[in-house]
Amino acid sequence: MIKALQASILTLGLLSTAAMAESAWNTLNTYESIRVSAPAAKAFAAVARWDALESWCPAFSKTEIVSGGNAVGSVRAITLKDGPTFTEELLALDPAGRSYKYKIIESPLPIVEYVSTVRVYDMGGYSEIVWLASYKRRAKDAPTAETDDPAMMNLVGGLYKACLGNAKKVAEGL
């Protein structure tokens, strides 16, 4: 699963440039952003649909609301194109502030304590979509080359870059 996602990201030529690790088994942080030539409201509309991640994130093929609709506390199952599914919970939603926050409940990736925020900033004439997360590797002791800090940060950062690149296209086409 990890190799398939890494291969997809590498095929797109995307590796994270803004991911950083604090130290061995500490919190990892990933931050990616993209400039969008669209008003902030349109940019947020492109990334805000909790029930349709695949509409702007090309790595995913399906979003299914498990409970709660699109309200805070709702749970969704998102499926990667190659099959594995993640379960996530919506922790906060601020349409006026153009942001939402969520956490992964279950994941096929070797990460834990994943919490992420997507936010859109009005930059006066253009928008900026920011996606950031903090998480830890599941393999606390003796990680492999596929599960060490740089590998996890490149995996998450590469996914974010691919998704944000597509979100830009969606927002600018709205």
Side-chain angles (χ1 to χ4, degrees):
M1 192 331 260
I2 293 173
K3 284 187 182 231
L5 187 53
Q6 286 173 330
S8 296
I9 291 168
L10 288 173
T11 300
L12 294 171
L14 303 170
L15 289 178
S16 178
T17 57
M20 24 188 172
E22 294 173 5
S23 66
W25 214 70
N26 281 330
T27 300
L28 307 176
N29 297 293
T30 298
Y31 173 96
E32 295 293 341
S33 66
I34 195 163
R35 181 180 174 147
V36 178
S37 296
K42 284 188 176 183
F44 187 65
V47 298
R49 290 201 45 210
W50 180 249
D51 61 349
L53 179 63
E54 69 280 0
S55 70
W56 64 276
C57 190
F60 293 91
S61 62
K62 181 172 96 171
T63 303
E64 179 184 346
I65 298 298
V66 175
S67 66
N70 288 313
V72 171
S74 69
V75 175
R76 70 180 178 186
I78 53 174
T79 304
L80 285 166
K81 285 188 176 182
D82 64 357
T85 298
F86 296 70
T87 305
E88 300 176 332
E89 179 183 353
L90 185 60
L91 300 175
L93 175 61
D94 180 7
R98 294 179 301 276
S99 71
Y100 60 93
K101 181 177 183 178
Y102 65 96
K103 71 177 181 179
I104 292 178
I105 299 169
E106 294 180 32
S107 168
L109 296 178
I111 58 176
V112 295
E113 300 179 33
Y114 174 100
V115 177
S116 185
T117 299
V118 176
R119 176 168 286 144
V120 176
Y121 293 96
D122 183 346
M123 304 303 285
Y126 68 95
S127 302
E128 186 169 347
I129 304 172
V130 173
W131 197 353
L132 56 98
S134 64
Y135 49 95
K136 292 182 179 181
R137 286 182 286 105
R138 184 177 295 142
K140 180 178 179 180
D141 301 315
T144 67
E146 289 183 340
T147 62
D148 65 7
D149 291 351
M152 290 300 95
M153 292 183 300
N154 282 332
L155 184 68
V156 174
L159 174 70
Y160 283 14
K161 278 186 174 184
C163 294
L164 288 173
N166 197 62
K168 174 182 174 71
K169 292 176 188 173
V170 171
E172 290 175 350
L174 289 177

